[in-house]
Every structure is written in C-alpha cells, then in structure tokens.
Amino acid sequence: MKGVFSAPGDYIYFKSQVPLHKIPIGSKHWRYYDFGPKAVPPLICLPGITGTADVHYKQIMSLSMKGYRVISVDIPRVWNHQEWIQAFEKFLDAIDVHHVHLYGTSLGGFLAQLFAQHRPRRVRSLVLSNTYTETSSFKAAMPWAPIVSWAPSFLLKRYVLTGIRGGPHEPFIADSVDFVVSQASWIVDQDTVENLVETLSKDDLASRLTLTVDAASVGALVLSDSLITIMDTSDYCAIPQQLKDQVSERYPGARRAYLKSGGDFPFLSRPDEVNLHLQLHLRRVGVEARPDLVQGLPKGGGGESSGEQDDESRDADDKAKDDRTDSAGPSTESGPPLLPESIESHDLDNQLLSNAEVLGASGEFLASILLLAFLISFLRHCTLTGINTGYLRAYWT
C-alpha cells in the first residue's frame, strides 16, 4: 500500500458533482449519497467494516446514468444488531423510501440479511457479496471482543489490516485497497486525505467490529431465493470460504454471479463486472430504469460516444471544469450527468444485458461480452476517423 494517498480522477469528479448528505436522526448521524431518478426504487449499498459511503462511487456514476437510483450509506455508530435494524428503518422513513433493494458486502451483506429478516415488507431483493450468515467464528477469533469499544485505535486498525492480504496485487486490486484503507485514516499525509476522502473515526471502527463479533445469526427469510443474487470473488478475500459457502447453502435458489478476481473490494477493482451483475439483478427483480429522466442524456440520434470524447485534446481536468460550468447544479430528479453516453451506447448495453440474461451471465460469457463491446466500439471509432479496418474485419470473420 502506498505511503501517500492520491485520489483517482474519477472520484474527484464524482465528489464535484454528487452532493454528500449528512442528517441526524435521533442520536445517529447518517452520511449518504442519493443519486439517480427519484421515480425508480433505489438500490441501497451497504459497505463493509472499513468502507464509507464513498466506496460505491463507481456504482453511483455508472448506474445513475443508465436511469437507476443508487443510495450509498455509511453504517452509523450502532453497537448491536437490533439497534442497527431500528436505526436503518428510521433512516428510510426520514428519506421517504419505503421499499428497497439492498446490495451489501462483508458486514454490509450480513446487516442487509438481518434487516430483510426483521423488516420483510420493506426489502424487495438482496445482492450479497463476500458475506456471511453468522458471527460466532469472528467472536472466537477475537478474544478481546468484550472490550473492543475501549481498545486503542492502533489495536483496532492492526486487527482490521490483518484481514487485508499483503504482498503484490493486480494494479486495480492494489488501487482498491489503497482507496479503502485511506478512509480509515491510515495514511501518513492526513491533510491530503481529509481534503479528498471522508474518513472513519476510532469509534466508527469500534462499533463496526462490535457488530462483527456480537452474537447473531440470520434466521429464515420471507424473501424468495429467486430475489437474491450472490456475487462472490473467487480469489482471496478476508471472509473465509467456509462462511461464503454457508451463504450459498442457505439460499440454494439464489442467482450466482461469481467473479474470477477482485479481492475484498470488487466494486472498486472490477466495477464493470459488478455493475453489469447489478443491472441484471435489478432487471430480473422488476426494477425498470428511467434513462429518460437522466438530465443531459441526448434525446436525438447523434451524440458522441465515450471513445470519441477521449480523442478530444482537452485533458480530464479541463473536461471536469467545463462540465461543472455547464451544469446548473444537482437536479431534483437525477442531477447532472456524470459520464456522458450516447443513445447507441445505451442500446448496446441493453442488447448485452439481454444476451447475458439468456445465457446465465457466467464469468466466461461476461468476459466475451466485454471483449465484444470493446471491438464494436473500436471498429465504430475507426470508421468515423477514417482508419483502415480491413485487416481487422478479415481477422474477425
């Protein structure tokens, strides 16, 4: 992990466009992002122990531009599971959301299951990633669990860091680890971090570890298995494979969406695959996207594709500045566009999603989808710019 954190350019742009909401509800303080058409039932993202609402910014950027509403929240400072259930229900009431689709990773996935168990009328579907159904194994591994709330900060941080695999990583996985670790105030250059990334306090971390070791297990859900998607990574992650297998055994009728790699934070390291699986899930459970309500989406047949825009001479900082100048501010419906997309791009997405639904969206097929999408985009760009593509067409056929 790097000694000094440098926030990614797309995250800086995200922060400039999407407002962070902070509201007190009783004794709890909630931080969250809410972006996308308000007419669409929201997908609510719940992070793991070390995550804040910011870790799902790539899901907000992508899905909101396709007409979905995404809410990403911080887990507030609660100290037992019943307190979490009551606090989360009050939060939903405060933002006037009655029925939700939950996407939870690690601790967030466990809390999503508990909420679905105790408030079944409010949860319409679940996406569970690298999570578990009971906490006994975590409690056994932490003999000092009864005093976790009094433990010094360095002990809490060291305990959490032991779950993050050291050594060399793939570049995207390494970047995802750096981003998440930066949020727990583990970076030397704290002034830089405070200006870019919302960080976790010692009490925040202590409360989440308490939730991890507090004795509890998920009971029977009223929610049908057909409304659950299990999205796990096949490489190393902090959640033992035995616990992930228990989730699969608990919901035998759930849809599987395995990722070959991605580590603990696939929503950052493999965002394209994660976002595609989330779209497939939302479409399967009946959530209809409303791209017509996305402000700035081209209405005519023209519109530049993202590939064409990349060829412009302006650099990323100039683009972000221009976009902020052109945008009058967040809309009450969906806010300013984050990633401009053409109508052709949306049509291609719909075609690929339909094909993935038919063929089961296996990992191998998803790789083929992404390769095909790249080739189509590249050939279109070559045609528009006059580059000879004869040799490519001959190879392709």
Side-chain angles (χ1 to χ4, degrees), residues 287-344:
V287 177
E288 182 180 354
R290 293 294 304 274
D292 56 303
L293 296 180
V294 177
Q295 181 180 349
L297 191 67
K299 301 300 182 183
E304 294 179 324
S305 66
S306 57
E308 294 167 344
Q309 290 175 338
D310 287 342
D311 289 335
E312 294 178 352
S313 58
R314 295 180 302 168
D315 59 24
D317 292 336
D318 291 335
K319 289 182 183 180
K321 181 178 179 181
D322 291 345
D323 290 337
R324 288 195 296 269
T325 303
D326 294 338
S327 302
S331 165
T332 56
E333 277 298 324
S334 61
L338 292 176
L339 296 175
E341 299 183 40
S342 68
I343 293 298
E344 285 185 346

Side-chain angles (χ1 to χ4, degrees), residues 24-36:
I25 303 176
S27 61
K28 311 302 177 191
H29 294 272
W30 289 84
R31 297 175 59 260
Y32 68 99
Y33 296 98
D34 183 355
F35 210 68

Side-chain angles (χ1 to χ4, degrees), residues 211-243:
L211 292 176
T212 302
V213 299
D214 187 27
S217 61
V218 178
L221 300 188
V222 175
L223 192 70
S224 169
D225 286 3
S226 63
L227 300 175
I228 300 174
T229 294
I230 298 174
M231 181 166 39
D232 289 342
T233 54
S234 298
D235 57 351
Y236 174 87
C237 81
I239 305 302
Q241 187 61 46
Q242 179 183 358
L243 297 184

Side-chain angles (χ1 to χ4, degrees), residues 14 44 54 73 196 204 206 214 292 294 322 335 359:
F14 164 80
I44 298 187
D54 299 68
V73 305
L196 296 175
D204 291 329
D214 187 27
D292 56 303
V294 177
D322 291 345
L359 297 181

